[in-house]
Amino acid sequence: KQEVTQIPAALSVPEGENLVLNCSFTDSAIYNLQWFRQDPGKGLTSLLLIQSSQREQTSGRLNASLDKSSGRSTLYIAASQPGDSATYLCAVRTSGTYKYIFGTGTRLKVLA
Amino acid sequence: NAGVTQTPKFRVLKTGQSMTLLCAQDMNHEYMYWYRQDPGMGLRLIHYSVGEGTTAKGEVPDGYNVSRLKKQNFLLGLESAAPSQTSVYFCASISASYNEQFFGPGTRLTVL
């Protein structure tokens, strides 16, 4: 059974710092992995989608990497800003299924 | 292009009452999903559908029923609401060719 873990649960950093968020999964036979952002009381906004055959994806200041063999994905945020403050979630779809398993998220606070 | 919409946005029910949550998408996506989000537990999959007329159980299907009579709509029903079903419910849709999940804004349900 696929299990997805995100550590740490919460993180505070000063503005301008580069940071890395972690997502670990137990079954390396994944179909894809997606990173989301969720603001308080809002829905989920897709940030990056990594297919199984890809090693990384980039969008602006965000870079997501995927290492299936070690069961890990990282989301790198460059030059963090207060507007980046939100909860970041990863979701994994295991090969051969249509189901997505979510981590419990990392709550990020960027201090001005 | 409205994306994924959910109706209603808020609802308060008494124990034993029934209701239906509506999810609609205008992106011609094949797959649709219902999740619930509870504090500290992340998003958990309730039911999903990979095409019109088809549905399948997710991680936490008990107490819920679903129907997908039209490709663009996915309905989630609670036949006899219980306080344990107090949660925020999210709907998502995915294109079978690209697999990026798009989420609706959520429905906040309270069962007294």
Side-chain angles (χ1 to χ4, degrees):
Chain A
K1 180 185 174 186
Q2 182 72 269
E3 294 180 1
V4 180
T5 304
Q6 292 186 249
I7 295 173
L11 183 64
S12 287
V13 300
E15 181 177 6
E17 191 163 300
N18 301 326
L19 58 100
V20 173
L21 306 180
N22 297 298
C23 173
S24 299
F25 46 93
T26 55
D27 185 348
S28 61
I30 70 168
Y31 187 79
N32 61 37
L33 184 148
Q34 193 169 357
W35 281 94
F36 295 89
R37 168 189 173 132
Q38 185 176 29
D39 294 292
K42 303 294 185 182
L44 281 70
T45 300
S46 176
L47 297 174
L48 290 164
L49 170 69
I50 308 178
Q51 306 288 1
S52 175
S53 58
Q54 298 174 322
R55 293 297 302 269
E56 65 178 339
Q57 283 281 11
T58 299
S59 176
R61 294 183 293 110
L62 305 179
N63 175 277
S65 67
L66 175 63
D67 184 345
K68 290 188 296 181
S69 62
S70 65
R72 287 188 60 196
S73 176
T74 60
L75 179 67
Y76 174 83
I77 303 177
S80 58
Q81 304 170 357
D84 295 330
S85 297
T87 297
Y88 291 80
L89 299 119
C90 67
V92 174
R93 177 178 165 186
T94 304
S95 296
T97 76
Y98 295 99
K99 300 179 184 180
Y100 287 79
I101 304 299
F102 278 79
T104 51
T106 294
R107 190 170 64 254
L108 173 66
K109 188 169 185 178
V110 180
L111 305 170
Chain B
N1 190 339
V4 181
T5 58
Q6 293 183 232
T7 308
K9 289 183 171 52
F10 304 93
R11 187 73 186 268
V12 178
L13 290 178
K14 294 181 180 179
T15 296
Q17 287 185 317
S18 63
M19 77 164 294
T20 300
L21 284 67
L22 170 64
C23 176
Q25 52 94 6
D26 60 3
M27 297 174 282
N28 202 35
H29 286 172
E30 290 80 5
Y31 307 159
M32 296 186 75
Y33 298 76
W34 276 108
Y35 296 91
R36 60 178 289 173
Q37 186 175 37
D38 303 292
M41 301 194 71
L43 275 83
R44 292 180 292 168
L45 181 63
I46 304 171
H47 286 281
Y48 64 99
S49 168
V50 298
E52 183 178 318
T54 72
T55 62
K57 295 180 180 179
E59 299 174 84
V60 288
D62 294 341
Y64 304 95
N65 57 75
V66 288
S67 64
R68 183 119 181 254
L69 299 179
K70 293 183 179 180
K71 185 177 184 179
Q72 64 268 33
N73 295 337
F74 194 28
L75 288 88
L76 178 70
L78 286 72
E79 291 183 346
S80 179
S84 61
Q85 294 177 306
T86 293
S87 188
V88 181
Y89 291 85
F90 288 102
C91 175
S93 72
I94 302 176
S95 161
S97 57
Y98 186 58
N99 292 293
E100 182 177 8
Q101 286 193 86
F102 291 90
F103 276 80
T107 294
R108 187 173 298 274
L109 175 66
T110 301
V111 183
L112 302 175

